[in-house]
Amino acid sequence: MNISIIKYTLLTAAFCLSVPVIAQDKKDETQKPASGVLTEEIEVVRPYKPVLADAVKIRRNPDMNIDKTFKPVLTYSIMDKKLDLNSNIKELQAQKILDEQQASLNNNYVKVGAGNFSTALGEIYINTGRDEGLQSGVFFKHLSQQGSLDKQQFSNQEIGVFGRSIADTYTLSGKLNYDRKSTFFYGQQFYAPNPSTEVPEKQRFGTISGEAEFMNNYSEGSLFNYAGKINMYQFSNIFETREGSVMLSGHVNKEVNLLNFGVNASADFTTTKDTAYKIGNHILRANPYIQLKSNGFALNLGLNLVQEFGENSRLNILPAISAEFPVVPNYAILFGGVNGDVLKTSLRDLASENPYLDQNILVRNSVEKMNIYAGVKGNTGAEFGYKLMGFYKTIDNMQLFANSLSDFRRFEVIYDNGKSNVFGFDGEVNVKASDILTIGAKAQIFNYEPASELEAWFKPSFRVISNAKAQMSQKLFLDAEVLFQGPSYGRVTGPADEITRYQLDGFLDLSAGAEYRVNNKIGVYLRANNLLGQSYQQYLHYSKLGLNVFGGLNYSF
């Protein structure tokens, strides 16, 4: 078949199948309908429903030419806050320290103990505890012992109350004590062919004492620094000896730049009574001074004006000069001075030193005319401290003890008539070897040149005292003490009143103790005195106790 014939045949069939198509015309708003003719035109709009073929119309890349402006709706609020500029250095704010929890204190303490020589010990302490403004308390002590010799007995009781009030500008303190000591005249005349068989008499001392003090608290703006104090006591023994004393003392000081101007003053009124006498031993003192302090250097220039009146009347004008100069600050400081004073004699002090006194003791004051001293002191922190000093003294009527002519068991007080010279050396060392061990020691050497007596009776030529404390653990504590004293001499009066010397040997007294704390309230302790068991004599005819061991319990609450 011819291809051209087929082509014309298909074209003719297409024209024959054509049908009429009617489309919606666009409304012509400018054309008005004819008069009297009702015309209504309906426009039908349906949602666009794309078909798959329309997907080719979507642009693959975004149109960057969209310039439609977006205007968001904004809201504003003003805050009341300061703007910090980072260009400035900010002030450092200190961090608040947390409140430190204070340790719980046991304010009260009870201690009891017992040992050989019928030793009985008891102590009680009660106080108000931690209070910055008010402290007060009460205490009681008891100690009694009995040796192997006839009536070698000792007893001591002490009770007291105390208090202190600290205000903003002043401090007020006071205390009241009663002290009772008792013993016997148990002395044995060992060198005599026939020792005495008399029953030893009993001796007992009682002292009621009181003290009150008022002083201002230091402040840079205060016009003066001042303090006032009153001391009183009433002393008596088992016989008819009585002594009463009232002493008023105080000081005033004014600081002007590097200088201090001041005066220390006191008025001491003492009356002593015994079977044979009643005397007054009154002393007025005044110590005006000028003190200069600068860069560790200190110079004190003053006088001691002492007026004695009563049984004896005497005015003494004595020096009071001292100085300190740092060679190496804190490590080595040179010091020295010259001073003098009146050494008051009181029965209370004599009985405390030697309880075997006779009656009707002679009361007379000694005068230390001059005391020249010089030395060096310093420390190397808290681990080591020292003080070395030499001195030379001249004393009028130096006080001494001597056995009574009527009874060898009793002692009298005599005075070396004239000027006695004393040369000596004094050294002190404190060492903190570690956090658990502390050692302290003090040594004294004396060379006496009496004016009229053969010897300085019962005064040793040297004395060494040392102590040590060690904390072995949180619960175990140890301590030890050493007393080493050189020989001394006692005065012995023969039948024809001739005076001879009796030498008392030197002695070494070792003591040691231990305490174990079971807890923070309960502890046990053990102590031993005179470990070498020496029955030495400090005063002629009176032997000390031998080895004494005692222990007990203590309780804190």
Side-chain angles (χ1 to χ4, degrees):
M1 184 176 287
N2 195 352
I3 298 174
S4 58
I5 297 175
I6 296 173
K7 180 174 67 173
Y8 288 115
T9 301
L10 293 175
L11 182 63
T12 303
F15 279 103
C16 292
L17 294 174
S18 300
V19 295
V21 178
I22 300 177
Q24 184 177 355
D25 294 336
K26 186 176 180 180
K27 180 180 178 181
D28 188 3
E29 296 179 355
T30 62
Q31 186 177 358
K32 297 181 179 180
S35 178
V37 180
L38 180 60
T39 303
E40 182 177 359
E41 188 174 306
I42 299 173
E43 183 177 358
V44 179
V45 179
R46 61 181 177 82
Y48 173 69
K49 296 181 178 179
V51 297
L52 183 61
D54 295 332
V56 298
K57 300 178 182 180
I58 300 175
R59 295 176 60 89
R60 294 184 177 180
N61 296 320
D63 187 1
M64 303 301 295
N65 296 322
I66 297 176
D67 56 357
K68 186 177 180 180
T69 304
F70 174 73
K71 296 181 178 180
V73 179
L74 303 177
T75 58
Y76 302 91
S77 62
I78 300 175
M79 295 182 296
D80 188 9
K81 184 178 180 180
K82 181 180 178 180
L83 177 62
D84 293 332
L85 299 179
N86 296 330
S87 59
N88 296 330
I89 299 177
K90 294 183 179 180
E91 181 181 358
L92 295 177
Q93 300 296 328
Q95 185 177 2
K96 185 178 180 181
I97 300 177
L98 297 177
D99 294 336
E100 183 180 357
Q101 186 176 2
Q102 293 183 340
S104 178
L105 297 180
N106 296 322
N107 304 328
N108 310 314
Y109 178 78
V110 176
K111 183 177 182 179
V112 294
N116 66 331
F117 293 122
S118 301
T119 301
L121 182 146
E123 296 180 5
I124 300 176
Y125 295 87
I126 299 176
N127 60 74
T128 56
R130 182 189 288 118
D131 191 323
E132 296 182 356
L134 177 65
Q135 296 116 28
S136 62
V138 60
F139 67 90
F140 171 76
K141 298 180 182 180
H142 168 79
L143 176 64
S144 61
Q145 292 179 309
Q146 181 175 348
S148 57
L149 299 177
D150 184 26
K151 298 297 182 179
Q152 190 181 18
Q153 299 177 11
F154 313 93
S155 178
N156 184 19
Q157 295 81 34
E158 185 178 0
I159 186 171
V161 295
F162 59 89
R164 172 176 291 181
S165 176
I166 304 176
D168 294 335
T169 58
Y170 66 89
T171 299
L172 181 64
S173 61
K175 60 182 179 180
L176 180 64
N177 284 14
Y178 174 70
D179 189 0
R180 180 181 183 273
K181 294 183 175 68
S182 63
T183 185
F184 288 83
F185 294 96
Y186 68 89
Q188 298 291 328
Q189 196 171 9
F190 299 103
Y191 59 84
N194 298 314
S196 175
T197 58
E198 295 181 4
V199 178
E201 290 187 89
K202 187 175 183 178
Q203 177 64 287
R204 184 176 63 242
F205 306 104
T207 304
I208 301 175
S209 61
E211 176 184 304
E213 182 178 17
F214 175 83
M215 62 185 302
N216 75 313
N217 298 333
Y218 174 79
S219 64
E220 295 183 355
S222 60
L223 185 60
F224 293 97
N225 294 316
Y226 56 88
K229 189 176 183 180
I230 179 172
N231 296 79
M232 300 180 293
Y233 72 83
Q234 181 66 41
F235 168 82
S236 62
N237 64 10
I238 198 172
F239 305 109
E240 298 183 21
T241 305
R242 302 291 184 270
E243 184 175 75
S245 176
V246 177
M247 184 173 72
L248 304 174
S249 60
H251 79 266
V252 178
N253 181 80
K254 173 62 177 177
E255 183 177 355
V256 180
N257 297 327
L258 300 178
L259 294 175
N260 284 275
F261 300 89
V263 60
N264 301 312
S266 66
D268 186 351
F269 304 95
T270 303
T271 301
T272 304
K273 176 182 175 298
D274 212 329
T275 57
Y277 62 79
K278 180 179 180 181
I279 61 174
N281 185 17
H282 314 309
I283 300 177
L284 298 178
R285 302 174 186 266
N287 169 225
Y289 64 87
I290 300 175
Q291 188 178 70
L292 170 65
K293 286 187 176 181
S294 177
N295 298 325
F297 173 79
L299 177 62
N300 189 2
L301 302 176
L303 290 174
N304 281 335
L305 307 176
V306 185
Q307 174 65 58
E308 302 173 75
F309 63 98
E311 183 70 16
N312 299 306
S313 181
R314 179 174 50 182
L315 175 62
N316 302 274
I317 302 177
L318 304 167
I321 302 172
S322 63
E324 290 186 2
F325 179 76
V327 179
V328 181
N330 295 329
Y331 291 94
I333 300 174
L334 296 178
F335 67 93
V338 180
N339 57 32
D341 202 357
V342 173
L343 307 179
K344 179 187 172 183
T345 297
S346 70
L347 294 183
R348 184 185 70 162
D349 296 339
L350 293 173
S352 178
E353 185 177 355
N354 184 349
Y356 312 110
L357 295 179
D358 201 355
Q359 293 181 261
N360 298 314
I361 295 297
L362 178 61
V363 176
R364 181 186 301 171
N365 298 328
S366 302
V367 180
E368 190 176 83
K369 287 287 187 180
M370 183 173 58
N371 177 13
I372 304 175
Y373 64 92
V376 59
K377 62 180 180 179
N379 60 73
T380 58
E383 290 77 19
F384 180 79
Y386 68 95
K387 180 180 179 181
L388 305 174
M389 181 183 69
F391 59 86
Y392 177 77
K393 300 179 180 180
T394 59
I395 303 175
D396 284 352
N397 297 324
M398 184 172 63
Q399 180 192 105
L400 301 169
F401 289 110
N403 290 84
S404 174
L405 297 177
S406 59
D407 187 351
F408 71 93
R409 291 175 171 174
R410 299 171 184 256
F411 289 85
E412 299 176 349
V413 177
I414 63 174
Y415 299 88
D416 185 26
N417 295 323
K419 184 175 69 174
S420 306
N421 299 322
V422 183
F423 174 77
F425 173 83
D426 195 340
E428 185 175 352
V429 176
N430 293 287
V431 180
K432 186 177 181 181
S434 64
D435 293 336
I436 64 173
L437 179 61
T438 304
I439 302 173
K442 184 176 182 179
Q444 296 175 311
I445 299 175
F446 303 97
N447 182 27
Y448 295 95
E449 296 179 356
S452 58
E453 296 291 330
L454 293 178
E455 297 286 347
W457 309 116
F458 300 110
K459 292 186 179 295
S461 56
F462 64 89
R463 182 186 293 115
V464 177
I465 303 173
S466 179
N467 61 78
K469 295 181 179 180
Q471 181 178 351
M472 307 306 296
S473 66
Q474 293 293 330
K475 294 187 175 183
L476 181 60
F477 299 83
L478 304 177
D479 67 276
E481 295 180 0
V482 178
L483 172 60
F484 181 38
Q485 182 168 301
S488 60
Y489 294 93
R491 192 180 77 164
V492 177
T493 304
D497 293 338
E498 72 276 7
I499 297 175
T500 58
R501 299 181 301 177
Y502 186 88
Q503 181 174 336
L504 301 177
D505 296 333
F507 60 86
L508 177 63
D509 192 335
L510 301 178
S511 302
E515 180 182 359
Y516 181 80
R517 297 179 183 175
V518 180
N519 51 42
N520 61 344
K521 289 188 176 182
I522 301 175
V524 296
Y525 69 93
L526 181 67
R527 184 155 194 88
N529 296 326
N530 196 0
L531 287 171
L532 300 181
Q534 292 185 350
S535 184
Y536 59 88
Q537 299 181 58
Q538 184 177 2
Y539 294 104
L540 187 59
H541 311 310
Y542 286 89
S543 300
K544 293 288 185 177
L545 296 176
L547 175 61
N548 175 216
V549 180
F550 62 94
L553 300 172
N554 52 62
Y555 178 72
S556 302
F557 61 97

